[in-house]
Amino acid sequence: MHMPNPDRPEFLRTWGFWAVLTGAMALLLVFAQIVGPTFETKPSIGTQIGEIAGDIKRSAWRSLIGLPQPEPEAVSPPIWSYVALAAPIFGIVAIVLSVVSGVLRENWHYSVYGTGLGVAAIVFHFFWWMALLVAGVILLVTIIENIGDIFSF
């Protein structure tokens, strides 16, 4: 027979508590994914444009002379790629833990909070990527519309 451990609080043994904790972690990961890349050091815009122009020039000369293009360097993905994958996974785990908590008839507050946080993390993650996609399309359309003005003198 299972005897409760008096050293450990009761709420630590409920599935719902872990669902709330996992849902909160998922939501924090979504926010970290949004804000995190801004803390990385990047070269200035002028340096980036100069590097792109230099790469285009070297590639054009290699093609003109007939030399093979160099192999691209393998770059390890940034940590934010993994955070972008982990956030919705933690949200799904929070929902599953909330369902288990509800099936076991634990305190309903935990299962509702865990489900709410998990769903919020997944939905916010989805809407963030949709907003980035829409902003990218708008930027691309604007560049294409103004391409004639860029090359005119």
Side-chain angles (χ1 to χ4, degrees), residues 120-136:
I122 293 169
V123 168
F124 195 65
H125 180 82
F126 175 75
F127 280 125
W128 172 251
W129 282 106
M130 289 304 297
L132 287 178
L133 182 68
V134 168

Side-chain angles (χ1 to χ4, degrees), residues 28-91:
L28 285 174
L29 285 175
V30 169
F31 292 141
Q33 168 204 339
I34 292 170
V35 175
T38 60
F39 294 127
E40 292 180 355
T41 58
K42 296 180 183 101
S44 69
I45 298 296
T47 304
Q48 290 178 5
I49 292 173
E51 289 175 0
I52 292 170
D55 286 343
I56 292 171
K57 180 181 175 184
R58 284 187 292 278
S59 177
W61 276 108
R62 285 184 168 276
S63 295
L64 184 67
I65 297 173
L67 295 174
Q69 296 295 333
E71 292 293 323
E73 296 178 15
V75 178
S76 63
I79 188 72
W80 306 114
S81 300
Y82 299 116
V83 171
L85 289 174
I89 291 172
F90 273 107

Side-chain angles (χ1 to χ4, degrees), residues 96-107:
V96 169
L97 290 174
S98 295
V99 168
V100 169
S101 174
V103 167
L104 294 177
R105 304 235 183 251
E106 295 176 350
N107 187 353

